[in-house]
Amino acid sequence: MKYDTRKDQIIQTSAILFQKKGFSAVTMRDIAKAMGIKAASLYNHIKSKQEILSEIIISLAEQFTEQMKIIKNSNDSSIDKLKQIVALHVNITSKNQFEMSSLNSDWMHLEAELEYYLKLRKNYENDFRSIIEKGIQDNELINGNPEVMLFSMLSTLRSLYIWLPKKEDLDIGKFTTELSLVLINGINK
Amino acid sequence: MKYDTRKDQIIQTSAILFQKKGFSAVTMRDIAKAMGIKAASLYNHIKSKQEILSEIIISLAEQFTEQMKIIKNSNDSSIDKLKQIVALHVNITSKNQFEMSSLNSDWMHLEAELEYYLKLRKNYENDFRSIIEKGIQDNELINGNPEVMLFSMLSTLRSLYIWLPKKEDLDIGKFTTELSLVLINGINK
């Protein structure tokens, strides 16, 4: 994420602090201190920790939602759609590693936006599931348990922020191909 | 987990509260209240939130470590060892869903035991990786990136506490077989 504006910089700094200390333990004062500014100036840009959290999480959730709709509505095969979903997670995570950590660990601290976030997440899972179910129907995928297939893939994709190699060392295309191979074709020879 | 002793009951109640409110936000007073006892009686059994956290996490980490050693040192094929690791995670998670949530979300709040926990986790990952590497050498597994294979499997197994069906509805043997199939053989027909 580029530091386009002071607000973006606040969000980025906060996401790093949330990961380090846990959302509940971070204060607006901590955020101001980490940025080397006074708490009073922080409040010129953003009104609460809750607003920061909402900016981080809802913005990411909407990016996932928007891209998922495009993938779902295309005419590609189910396998190709699943590969595009893997690429989507690798791309967003590689650009927003701390924000993805906050999305994963702190979503339950959302207040006004909690319901909206849960709706986006539910819809995302439903779209993902429908792609898997279509793949089973069309005989592209094994006749397995779609819930196990969904949550197995999704758990790995949602944990990417923890183990994705640091950006400098990462060949995103190669990594996406390797991960798709493991998630879709398995590891058994 | 059975309520064998008052201490176990404290640990179970705490794990539920940690998941609900986040570790940092839970107080000893909250734990006492949830158990319907006075804070003073709580301190007769356990001296701090830190001791509770350590009891939850180190006990689980040691169970995983012990079982992993047995799996690693057996003469089974690499594929069979990986299936045993899947079964290990399903078994421990199905019996300790809240404690596994705390392990996953709260380990960074450990103090005196943090280093020991990180050592156990590192060793566990090393053993898991060595099983995968041996499987690649022996031509049992695809010649893929062992890090991607390791963290893809491990991410799914570590997230099981989130999506494993509730105990009453769960046929553990069937679920383990389905999950092994997806993780090892993939979903592509």
Side-chain angles (χ1 to χ4, degrees):
Chain A
M1 181 183 268
K2 278 178 62 194
Y3 297 156
D4 287 334
T5 65
R6 195 66 162 178
K7 195 167 173 178
D8 286 344
Q9 200 184 346
I10 293 169
I11 288 169
Q12 170 81 2
T13 303
S14 304
I16 294 171
L17 286 176
F18 294 165
Q19 185 185 52
K20 201 170 158 190
K21 301 180 59 175
F23 176 77
S24 302
V26 175
T27 62
M28 287 291 270
R29 192 178 293 269
D30 294 331
I31 297 166
K33 196 178 162 196
M35 296 184 66
I37 62 175
K38 296 207 165 135
S41 354
L42 190 58
Y43 286 104
N44 289 335
H45 299 279
I46 208 131
K47 67 174 188 290
S48 64
K49 222 171 62 166
Q50 185 59 215
E51 187 185 342
I52 297 173
L53 186 66
S54 168
E55 290 273 348
I56 293 173
I57 292 181
I58 300 300
S59 141
L60 286 170
E62 289 179 340
Q63 284 181 61
F64 278 106
T65 299
E66 195 179 310
Q67 293 301 312
M68 175 60 101
K69 290 292 166 211
I70 296 172
I71 293 170
K72 192 189 167 207
N73 294 329
S74 81
N75 292 316
D76 295 329
S77 69
S78 299
I79 293 277
D80 280 344
K81 288 180 180 178
L82 293 176
K83 287 181 183 168
Q84 289 160 28
I85 293 173
V86 173
L88 170 62
H89 281 262
V90 175
N91 283 331
I92 293 186
T93 306
S94 68
K95 292 185 191 114
N96 304 276
Q97 219 146 344
F98 291 106
E99 290 83 352
M100 286 300 295
S101 167
S102 184
L103 171 66
N104 269 274
S105 310
D106 304 325
W107 62 265
M108 69 291 282
H109 299 295
L110 283 173
E111 292 166 7
E113 304 272 26
L114 179 60
E115 203 177 333
Y116 176 55
Y117 165 71
L118 290 175
K119 198 187 85 182
L120 292 181
R121 189 171 71 172
K122 191 80 182 165
N123 289 344
Y124 189 85
E125 290 175 1
N126 287 343
D127 287 345
F128 202 149
R129 182 184 293 106
S130 77
I131 292 170
I132 290 174
E133 286 171 344
K134 177 133 190 354
I136 297 174
Q137 273 168 31
D138 294 349
N139 226 14
E140 281 187 68
L141 303 182
I142 57 166
N143 191 16
N145 182 333
E147 290 305 302
V148 173
M149 293 154 83
L150 170 63
F151 284 103
S152 172
M153 283 192 77
L154 209 40
S155 299
T156 296
L157 297 174
R158 283 178 174 160
S159 304
L160 269 177
Y161 74 93
I162 300 172
W163 62 278
L164 192 71
K166 293 284 161 282
K167 221 182 290 187
E168 312 84 65
D169 311 324
L170 183 65
D171 178 338
I172 289 195
K174 181 158 174 265
F175 182 86
T176 303
T177 305
E178 287 173 342
L179 183 57
S180 279
L181 188 73
V182 166
L183 288 178
I184 297 172
N185 294 332
I187 60 176
N188 198 350
K189 194 151 187 173
Chain B
M1 183 182 269
K2 278 177 61 194
Y3 298 156
D4 288 334
T5 65
R6 195 66 162 177
K7 195 165 174 181
D8 286 345
Q9 200 184 347
I10 294 169
I11 288 169
Q12 170 81 2
T13 304
S14 304
I16 294 171
L17 286 176
F18 294 164
Q19 184 185 53
K20 202 170 156 191
K21 302 179 59 175
F23 177 76
S24 303
V26 175
T27 63
M28 289 290 270
R29 191 177 294 268
D30 293 332
I31 297 166
K33 197 178 162 194
M35 296 183 65
I37 61 175
K38 295 205 166 137
S41 352
L42 190 58
Y43 287 104
N44 289 335
H45 299 279
I46 207 133
K47 68 175 188 289
S48 64
K49 221 171 64 166
Q50 184 59 213
E51 186 184 343
I52 297 173
L53 186 66
S54 167
E55 290 272 349
I56 293 173
I57 293 181
I58 300 299
S59 142
L60 287 170
E62 288 178 341
Q63 284 181 62
F64 278 106
T65 299
E66 196 180 309
Q67 293 301 312
M68 175 60 100
K69 291 292 167 212
I70 295 172
I71 293 171
K72 193 190 166 205
N73 294 329
S74 82
N75 292 317
D76 295 330
S77 70
S78 299
I79 294 276
D80 280 345
K81 287 180 180 180
L82 293 176
K83 287 181 183 169
Q84 288 161 27
I85 293 172
V86 173
L88 170 63
H89 281 263
V90 175
N91 283 331
I92 293 186
T93 306
S94 69
K95 292 185 192 115
N96 303 277
Q97 219 147 344
F98 291 107
E99 290 83 353
M100 286 300 296
S101 167
S102 184
L103 172 67
N104 269 274
S105 310
D106 304 325
W107 61 264
M108 69 291 282
H109 299 296
L110 283 174
E111 291 167 6
E113 303 272 28
L114 179 60
E115 203 177 333
Y116 176 55
Y117 165 72
L118 289 175
K119 199 187 83 184
L120 293 181
R121 190 172 70 173
K122 191 80 181 168
N123 289 344
Y124 189 85
E125 290 175 2
N126 286 343
D127 286 345
F128 202 151
R129 181 183 293 106
S130 76
I131 292 171
I132 290 175
E133 285 172 344
K134 176 131 191 356
I136 297 173
Q137 273 168 30
D138 293 350
N139 227 14
E140 280 188 68
L141 302 181
I142 57 166
N143 191 16
N145 182 334
E147 289 306 301
V148 172
M149 293 154 83
L150 170 63
F151 284 103
S152 172
M153 283 192 78
L154 209 40
S155 299
T156 296
L157 297 174
R158 283 178 174 161
S159 304
L160 268 177
Y161 73 95
I162 300 172
W163 61 279
L164 192 72
K166 293 284 160 285
K167 223 183 291 187
E168 313 82 68
D169 312 326
L170 183 65
D171 178 337
I172 289 195
K174 182 158 174 266
F175 182 86
T176 303
T177 306
E178 288 172 342
L179 183 56
S180 280
L181 188 72
V182 167
L183 289 179
I184 297 173
N185 294 333
I187 60 176
N188 198 352
K189 194 152 187 171

